[in-house]
Amino acid sequence: MSNQLNIILNGKNIKGNPGETILQLAKRNGIEIPTLCNDPRLKPFSSCFVCVVEVDGMKGMQPSCSTKINEGMKIETENEKVKIARKTALDLMVSNHYADCEAPCKQTCPAGVDVQGYISLIEKGLYSEATALIKETNPLPAICGRVCVRPCEVACRRNHLDEGTAVGIDYMKRFAADMDLFSENRYIPEVAESTGKKVAIIGAGPGGLSSAYFLQQKGHQCDIFEASPNPGGWLRYGIPEYRLPNDILDKEVAAVTELGTNILYNKKLGENLSYKELKKEYDSVILTIGSQRGTLIGCEGDDAENVYSGIDFLRNMEMTGQKYDFEGKTVAVVGGGNTAMDCCRTSLRCGAEKVYVIYRRTEKEMPANPIEIHESKVEGVEYMFLTNPSKVNKDKDGKLKSMTCLKMELGEPDASGRRRPVPIEGSEFDIELDYALAAIGQKTEVNFLEDINEHSDNGKLEVNRWGDIDADKSTLQTGVKSIFAAGDGVTGPATIIEAVAQAKTASRSCHQYLMGLTLEPEPKEFISRRDTFKELTTSDFLGRYQKQIREEMPVLEADDRVNFKEVELGYSDEKVAKHEAERCLECGCTEFHTCDLKKYATQYDADQKHFEGDYHAYELDFSHPFIEIDNNKCIL
Ligand code: SF4
Ligand code: SF4
Ligand code: FES
């Protein structure tokens, strides 16, 4: 056409149609300019300023959606100045975007499980679909539904409304996973065609099983080498059956092996398995060895007979199938974490007459799950808070006789943020004991460094100053390019869900390595958070949502617990699970997967705190029976 305009777009001479905007011109020429407020059916608003471009000779940036082209126009759509202007526009917008992209439960879950999503599927009775959604990020829902420490429930917004009773996120997970596990049409993920690559995974604990689950789906043959005669690692040898029955564990392990993964038992790297052999047969290795060497009390005399490390105590019972005989005995458990809880509750099940938990801080500082503390008290465990052992006293045969303890008081906070316990001078007292169990920490045992380093030709495996495996934080690749690591062996003793989360990262990196790709961690996304603006309190929820009491977990009567039967019985039926699902406030945004604001805020690295100050917090409009109107999310 003769009346076409000559334009220079990003340094290229092109023809423009008279009357068209820069945005239309760019689009016709395959150049994408971000837009938010523009709707081609309407006259341009020019309010978001995300579509700005630089036009030679014009002052400042021009909104491309409303600026018409002229003869000889020279336009830049992607230079540094344009990017800064777009980022500023987005910073301004998100600084007044009082909205949550993701629910806090999902944000707090180390594995990023889509809690809101699976709860909504449970509400519809779609249990296998709920399980499938959970398994995208956590392959062990029936296990975690029983023993997870539940950081999601601490973060749950329901706590603000119903006096500290979160949505039963974990109980519902257990319900859906059990329904699926025992159904005839269990969820089984698709496995890609074989890539011909093989991965050796060291350890069949939560990290190893999860790594295999993710990698096998990608078509890589996974073989797990397990030092013990049975799978599960800490899940079997550290968690007693009254919390996690072995048949549930076995079923969930089978859901991993049915994808094609093999587990080879009684194989310990550094002992009867060498890296030299593995290297010949496998393209990559993932170390998921756990952190299972127990420590003793750490005071004079702790080598006395009948003083054990808590995890050895728990492991020995599972290994031998024999209970310790504590009939009529007095047992002290030293420590305040979940292992201490497992030790004290197990001691009672072994017949102990009296079980004390000795902890140097107060109950408030105990790292153990509050439910465990509660149940231990119901079962009769007695607590000695602000108390610390200073000496183990032996009889003439070297057997534990008593323990000398000191009373403590809390001083200044230490590195962990908890107040440091300080001994009170002259407060010593003795307590007569038959057994003592130390549940105060675990160490990682890396006995294969030499073996690996002697035979590695692509790097060196190292441990850090705590004795854990050294791996890149974002990819979990170790110093040896073909070896990855995940779980407690990297972090030191942590939680099951953290091991699962690490397995997801390590297997992603391992897959990239096997496919010859550059190792890239999961990209970081922009996430808008209401908490960025203010701390949410009860007043933000009261009157806006209905109160509804939490469906509590039915449990065995206390006097029916001197055995290893599962204490928590699970929701009795679907009605209970669906009723609990109704308590979810659906905190995350429905537009999460399609939102352009989130997409561009991610692309331009927008910062919600850049322009701190006034913001609008609009009331949600629930007047329509099905549509919720949230003006906080309007960007015009
Ligand atoms: S997904 Fe989009 S609309 Fe929803 S809260 Fe996040 S940024 Fe706002
Ligand atoms: S109310 Fe629902 S979406 Fe919100 S934090 Fe709790 S479980 Fe998650
Ligand atoms: S899309 Fe052009 S100003 Fe919003």
Side-chain angles (χ1 to χ4, degrees), residues 561-578:
R561 294 192 194 175
V562 193
N563 50 53
F564 284 83
K565 283 196 272 185
E566 189 171 19
V567 170
E568 295 190 338
L569 304 171
Y571 286 155
S572 54
D573 58 32
E574 291 188 50
K575 243 171 74 191
V576 181
K578 288 181 183 175

Side-chain angles (χ1 to χ4, degrees), residues 522-564:
E522 199 92 49
K524 262 188 85 184
E525 276 188 314
F526 167 81
I527 299 290
S528 173
R529 293 182 172 89
R530 280 208 279 165
D531 320 54
T532 309
F533 299 90
K534 66 184 272 246
E535 194 184 326
L536 296 175
T537 62
T538 303
S539 64
D540 292 293
F541 299 90
L542 215 56
R544 293 180 173 87
Y545 299 91
Q546 273 182 357
K547 283 177 159 272
Q548 186 184 320
I549 288 170
R550 174 174 158 122
E551 295 288 349
E552 280 310 337
M553 173 59 71
V555 290
L556 279 183
E557 291 296 330
D559 53 11
D560 189 17
R561 294 192 194 175
V562 193
N563 50 53
F564 284 83

Side-chain angles (χ1 to χ4, degrees), residues 176-191:
D178 282 2
M179 288 292 274
D180 179 66
L181 214 49
F182 290 94
S183 86
E184 277 173 16
N185 285 320
R186 263 187 323 105
Y187 164 68
I188 302 174
E190 264 181 48
V191 173

Side-chain angles (χ1 to χ4, degrees), residues 405-418:
C405 296
L406 275 168
K407 294 303 282 177
M408 315 292 277
E409 59 189 356
L410 293 181
E412 294 300 308
D414 63 13
S416 72
R418 292 180 302 172

Side-chain angles (χ1 to χ4, degrees), residues 35-38 46-49 51 65:
T35 60
L36 285 173
C37 68
N38 180 62
S46 299
S47 74
C48 75
F49 263 62
C51 67
C65 64

Side-chain angles (χ1 to χ4, degrees), residues 51-278:
C51 67
V52 290
V53 294
E54 189 177 22
V55 178
D56 200 25
M58 290 177 92
K59 205 169 154 223
M61 294 286 148
Q62 309 306 316
S64 63
C65 64
S66 57
T67 308
K68 299 244 168 88
I69 54 168
N70 288 319
E71 173 62 25
M73 221 181 209
K74 216 170 142 195
I75 307 160
E76 287 284 341
T77 68
E78 278 306 324
N79 65 23
E80 260 327 287
K81 276 198 255 170
V82 168
K83 282 185 194 158
I84 290 169
R86 285 181 192 161
K87 175 174 158 47
T88 308
L90 286 159
D91 281 352
L92 269 166
M93 233 177 296
V94 296
S95 299
N96 190 21
H97 196 72
Y98 182 64
D100 286 310
C101 292
E102 263 184 354
C105 47
K106 182 178 177 196
Q107 284 176 39
T108 325
C109 172
V113 172
D114 183 354
V115 174
Q116 183 179 336
Y118 81 71
I119 290 179
S120 115
L121 290 165
I122 289 172
E123 202 179 352
K124 296 178 183 72
L126 300 169
Y127 306 114
S128 285
E129 287 79 354
T131 304
L133 181 61
I134 300 167
K135 284 192 163 192
E136 281 181 17
T137 44
N138 175 4
L140 309 172
I143 292 168
C144 286
R146 287 170 166 80
V147 296
C148 187
V149 293
R150 305 166 191 173
C152 54
E153 293 192 11
V154 177
C156 174
R157 293 263 165 82
R158 237 316 144 175
N159 285 308
H160 293 301
L161 197 57
D162 292 334
E163 282 90 36
T165 56
V167 170
I169 296 173
D170 215 32
Y171 294 164
M172 276 191 279
K173 185 195 293 126
R174 167 183 170 157
F175 185 80
D178 282 2
M179 288 292 274
D180 179 66
L181 214 49
F182 290 94
S183 86
E184 277 173 16
N185 285 320
R186 263 187 323 105
Y187 164 68
I188 302 174
E190 264 181 48
V191 173
E193 219 175 281
S194 169
T195 58
K197 304 282 183 191
K198 290 184 78 180
V199 183
I201 296 171
I202 311 300
L209 292 167
S210 302
S211 300
Y213 181 84
F214 293 127
L215 282 168
Q216 196 77 44
Q217 283 178 67
K218 295 277 185 197
H220 310 305
Q221 176 55 48
C222 295
D223 291 343
I224 305 181
F225 294 89
E226 167 57 47
S228 305
N230 285 298
W234 182 254
L235 302 170
R236 182 181 300 268
Y237 296 103
I239 298 180
E241 275 219 76
Y242 66 84
R243 285 214 293 138
L244 176 58
N246 283 345
D247 66 321
I248 295 292
L249 171 59
D250 289 338
K251 274 195 182 321
E252 214 144 64
V253 172
V256 174
T257 52
E258 73 185 351
L259 305 184
T261 292
N262 302 306
I263 306 183
L264 297 100
Y265 296 105
N266 302 310
K267 290 278 183 192
K268 186 161 184 188
L269 187 60
E271 281 182 16
N272 59 0
L273 177 70
S274 84
Y275 180 62
K276 195 175 163 198
E277 291 166 46
L278 290 180

Side-chain angles (χ1 to χ4, degrees), residues 270-378:
E271 281 182 16
N272 59 0
L273 177 70
S274 84
Y275 180 62
K276 195 175 163 198
E277 291 166 46
L278 290 180
K279 223 184 87 186
K280 272 191 234 150
E281 222 189 304
Y282 295 91
D283 301 284
S284 178
V285 173
I286 301 196
L287 301 169
T288 47
I289 56 170
S291 184
Q292 294 186 27
R293 185 152 53 87
T295 48
L296 284 178
I297 299 171
C299 66
E300 186 190 332
D302 70 354
D303 58 346
E305 204 179 308
N306 292 348
V307 177
Y308 306 112
S309 91
I311 63 163
D312 287 344
F313 162 72
L314 296 168
R315 185 192 291 123
N316 286 345
M317 267 192 299
E318 183 60 39
M319 279 286 193
T320 59
Q322 300 285 315
K323 280 197 317 189
Y324 279 78
D325 182 6
F326 285 174
E327 210 56 55
K329 306 289 186 201
T330 303
V331 181
V333 176
V334 182
N338 285 320
T339 304
M341 295 300 96
D342 288 337
C343 287
C344 68
R345 296 181 68 191
T346 299
S347 298
L348 284 173
R349 285 163 172 78
C350 292
E353 191 179 313
K354 244 188 187 332
V355 178
Y356 298 107
V357 167
I358 297 178
Y359 182 55
R360 60 200 184 125
R361 292 182 164 100
T362 70
E363 180 168 348
K364 213 172 111 222
E365 286 86 24
M366 275 179 77
N369 193 333
I371 299 168
E372 292 296 305
I373 302 171
H374 168 77
E375 293 299 339
S376 70
K377 287 181 182 169
V378 169

